[in-house]
Amino acid sequence: MSISGVTRTGTEDPVVRVALLGCGTVGSQVIRLLREHGDDWAARSGARLDLVGVAVRDTSVPRDPWVPPELLTTDASALIDRADIVVELIGGIEPARGLVLQALRGGRTVVTGNKALLAAHGPELHAAVEAGDADLYYEAAVAGAIPVVYGLRESLAGDNIVTVAGIVNGTTNYILDEMATRGLSFEQALQQAQALGYAEADPTADVDGHDAAAKAAILASLAFHTRVSVDDVPVAGIRGISAEEVSAAAGAGQVVKLLAVARRTTGGVSVRVHPALLPDTHPLAAVRGAFNAVVVEAESAGRLMFYGQGAGGTPTASAVLSDVVAAAGHAIRGGHAPRESAYTQLPLLGPEETPARTQVQLRLVDRPGSLAAVAGVYGEEGVSIESVHQQRSDDGSARVVITSHIATEASLARTVERLVTESRVQEVISVTHVEGE
Ligand SMILES: NC(=O)C1=CN([C@@H]2O[C@H](COP(=O)(O)OP(=O)(O)OC[C@H]3O[C@@H](n4cnc5c(N)ncnc54)[C@H](O)[C@@H]3O)[C@@H](O)[C@H]2O)C=CC1
Ligand SMILES: N[C@@H](CC=O)C(=O)O
Ligand code: NA
């Protein structure tokens, strides 16, 4: 059924029927905002948004007081058939994938916050959009409340984007920030992030970088008009970052952030997610708590920065409702969401072509020739050194911090492999990417 089939009841406002799938952290806030501000959304879209049902896994679970029990159902598939707009906030792959495909193939508009699904099954979803002549909106899927999907998909459609770099996971930014500023352990900070509703149902997706990788794939696809899947994104999370590393960075005028970085070069596109050291003067260094920020470099627009709350029920519900109001407006006045734009089909760059910089911390035997041997490894691998800082430790060894110039991911990895086996290197303490000037 097409959304153009919205119901008109006499002289009243037309009605757009909304089905909500999933009533967790975000879904519950969507219901609250629909109930509290429904008149505003109706005035803005030209249609009354009628919540016709809420699909849940278990109707007997206690829920927020504003969730109408009479709307709850466990039959999501039947609910979809009664709706014009389907809001999918279950998360994960199945059953979300099957339900979203059912809705799209049936010509319904889908609004989703499900980056895992989009980044793993994007082509299938976009094919279903075409097959059903449907619309797919996903502002909530990347960086919560921040309108970065709209920004890339619509506002910057008349520009060529060169780089997208950002903090796109609120949980990990919150954890790193709490470790740096309040001395919390990793586990304490993660528990708080879960209690505040930032973390995914399975927080390993946050901590190990997979949530950020899914968002990076979506951002790169939109920015470069190509297809990037989550499987194309090399990913390292923050589990290996110690409190010592975070405080050592602070002492050196740096911060550690989990970054998603996507670059377009003449050869193709590189997309990756990893912890990185930033100088504390960098705009992304000031992004605290669960906030997110995405810096976009475009040929004509220059540098743009999108900043705001990237996680949490209410901020994310704001993004969901922006899509619902837009979709309802299109239902009444005509118009569609933009279709997938993947015409460039850019190749993905491998490690031999991906530019990167690292900072390596080593413990060296403190005797003549040790530093020269290490510098020799860098030179032989074609990696130029930007700076070296050496400090004598109490145990008589030397602690050395080496920051490289830009090299390739592959040559930097080979350098570390050789340092690990170099006889004068007692320990490779850490290897961290470096971004920014
Ligand atoms: N929480 C956040 O800060 C953000 C979440 N998102 C995305 O929004 C989506 C929802 O996230 P949350 O609300 O945080 O997750 P949640 O885990 O709090 O809520 C999901 C709900 O779906 C329910 N559910 C599971 N299987 C179901 C089924 N078969 N039928 C009906 N309901 C079912 C679960 O019982 C749960 O209540 C996810 O895709 C997530 O990645 C996006 C941005 C931010
Ligand atoms: N778990 C995610 C929620 C938003 O996408 C995060 O922490 O950013
Ligand atoms: Na967003």
Side-chain angles (χ1 to χ4, degrees), residues 19-31 51 53-57 63 67 72-73 76 79 86-91 99:
L20 177 62
L21 315 184
C23 186
T25 304
V26 184
S28 180
Q29 293 306 316
V30 167
I31 299 175
L51 183 64
V54 181
V56 295
R57 198 161 38 184
R63 301 201 179 262
V67 176
L72 300 181
T73 172
L79 175 61
V86 175
V87 179
E88 185 276 304
L89 292 170
I90 294 174
L99 295 168

Side-chain angles (χ1 to χ4, degrees), residues 20-28 54-58 61 63 73-76 88-92 94-96 99 112-117 139-145 171 196-202 211 215 309-317 320:
L20 177 62
L21 315 184
C23 186
T25 304
V26 184
S28 180
V54 181
V56 295
R57 198 161 38 184
D58 179 354
V61 168
R63 301 201 179 262
T73 172
T74 53
D75 192 345
E88 185 276 304
L89 292 170
I90 294 174
E94 293 295 353
L99 295 168
T112 180
N114 194 336
K115 54 268 169 155
L117 177 62
E139 185 56 73
V142 186
T171 302
L196 290 163
Y198 304 146
E200 296 300 303
D202 175 2
D211 177 77
K215 292 165 179 168
Q309 296 197 65
T314 306
T316 307
V320 170

Side-chain angles (χ1 to χ4, degrees), residues 29 59-60 84 116-117 190 246 253-254 263 284 292 321 337 339 370:
Q29 293 306 316
T59 53
S60 65
D84 303 303
L117 177 62
L190 173 58
V246 170
Q254 294 173 313
R263 290 202 170 88
L284 292 175
N292 284 189
L321 284 163
R339 288 272 160 96
S370 290

Side-chain angles (χ1 to χ4, degrees), residues 87-110:
V87 179
E88 185 276 304
L89 292 170
I90 294 174
I93 305 301
E94 293 295 353
R97 170 175 161 270
L99 295 168
V100 166
L101 289 173
Q102 175 193 336
L104 292 172
R105 288 175 183 151
R108 292 176 171 78
T109 293
V110 170

